[in-house]
Amino acid sequence: MNIDRAEKAVGVKANDVGNIIVESDECHMLLEAEGNFISYVDIELKRTAPHKQDQEFDSESILGALSISLSELEFIRKKTHYHTYYDHRRRLKVGVSCQYDGAPISVGFSSKYYGQ
């Protein structure tokens, strides 16, 4: 998605480097730009903090909270702190993770490492 279209979709203007940051009581969302296109999206779900990297979590319920259908994803691998899925239709890698101890659970979307 290009930056102009993403700005309209979320109702927030891009910053000086083209990234779009959306902040609410529920989440912090970063839409990261590469050139004129959004190349990575990271959503931190604030109500899941503080979490620990050695603590199990249910990635299916996290994805469900974002209205992401598991039927559209292929589960690839599971580590205690990071679950990897592929969305083959959209050619995206979807990662559900605890990025550091005390962090909220986050969900990242990227085409960069899809299939690797």
Side-chain angles (χ1 to χ4, degrees):
M1 180 180 292
N2 70 33
I3 293 172
D4 292 336
R5 189 170 165 206
E7 287 176 330
K8 290 175 187 168
V10 299
V12 175
K13 287 286 188 190
N15 63 19
D16 292 343
V17 294
N19 296 337
I20 300 170
I21 299 172
V22 180
E23 192 78 40
S24 75
D25 292 340
E26 301 292 321
C27 74
H28 171 88
M29 181 169 59
L30 166 68
L31 290 88
E32 190 174 281
E34 189 173 312
N36 194 37
F37 292 90
I38 301 300
S39 62
Y40 177 73
V41 176
D42 184 69
I43 303 168
E44 293 180 348
L45 301 168
K46 293 179 180 180
R47 293 188 184 210
T48 62
H51 208 77
K52 294 189 176 280
Q53 287 195 313
D54 62 357
Q55 182 181 357
E56 291 283 336
F57 62 89
D58 179 8
S59 60
E60 292 181 8
S61 65
I62 299 292
L63 293 168
L66 296 173
S67 298
I68 298 170
S69 173
L70 291 174
S71 65
E72 296 181 16
L73 302 177
E74 178 185 3
F75 184 66
I76 300 299
R77 76 183 65 84
K78 178 181 180 180
K79 295 182 180 179
T80 305
H81 70 288
Y82 195 95
H83 301 184
T84 304
Y85 296 84
Y86 288 157
D87 180 334
H88 296 297
R89 187 170 63 86
R90 294 177 186 90
R91 303 186 55 81
L92 292 173
K93 176 182 176 184
V94 179
V96 183
S97 66
C98 174
Q99 296 177 351
Y100 55 90
D101 284 348
I105 300 295
S106 66
V107 181
F109 304 87
S110 175
S111 60
K112 190 171 187 176
Y113 296 109
Y114 169 77
Q116 296 180 358

